[in-house]
Amino acid sequence: TLQQNLPPASLFASLHNTIMPSKASLKMRNKKFSENIDKRGQVSKGSNKPEKYPLGPYAIAFFLFVVVGSAIFQLIAQVSRGGI
């Protein structure tokens, strides 16, 4: 009954091949970053891409239009009811 609950051996073999990196890729990564050991704080953080904002200018403009427009609409509604 114990062997019935275990997955087949081929599943373990396929998992082993997909999870473990090859020796060649490990050597390449080690060689690439081994020069950075002695630099201590002077290592570049990666590419110098400009930071992208999560929202574009049109999305921000639309958001401001909705917020400011609803605030103005609320003020006009309040004044017309005599609430201020």
Side-chain angles (χ1 to χ4, degrees), residues 24-37:
S25 67
L26 287 175
K27 286 182 182 181
M28 285 176 41
R29 289 181 193 165
N30 189 13
K31 184 177 179 181
K32 180 180 177 183
F33 295 107
S34 65
E35 299 168 356
N36 293 341
I37 292 174

Side-chain angles (χ1 to χ4, degrees), residues 2 7-8 14 16-17 21 23 26-27 31-32 34 39-40 48 54-55 62-63 68 72-73 78-80 84:
L2 182 61
S14 66
H16 177 72
N17 290 338
K23 288 183 181 181
L26 287 175
K27 286 182 182 181
K31 184 177 179 181
K32 180 180 177 183
S34 65
K39 293 185 180 178
R40 292 197 66 135
N48 292 331
L55 293 176
F62 178 74
F63 180 72
V68 173
I72 291 172
F73 183 75
Q78 194 83 15
V79 169
S80 67
I84 291 183

Side-chain angles (χ1 to χ4, degrees), residues 55-71:
L55 293 176
Y58 293 114
I60 293 173
F62 178 74
F63 180 72
L64 287 174
F65 173 76
V66 169
V67 170
V68 173
S70 64

Side-chain angles (χ1 to χ4, degrees), residues 5 9 11 21 24 42-43 48 51 53 60 64 76:
N5 295 335
L11 178 66
Q42 300 171 1
V43 179
N48 292 331
E51 293 184 25
Y53 297 108
I60 293 173
L64 287 174
I76 291 172

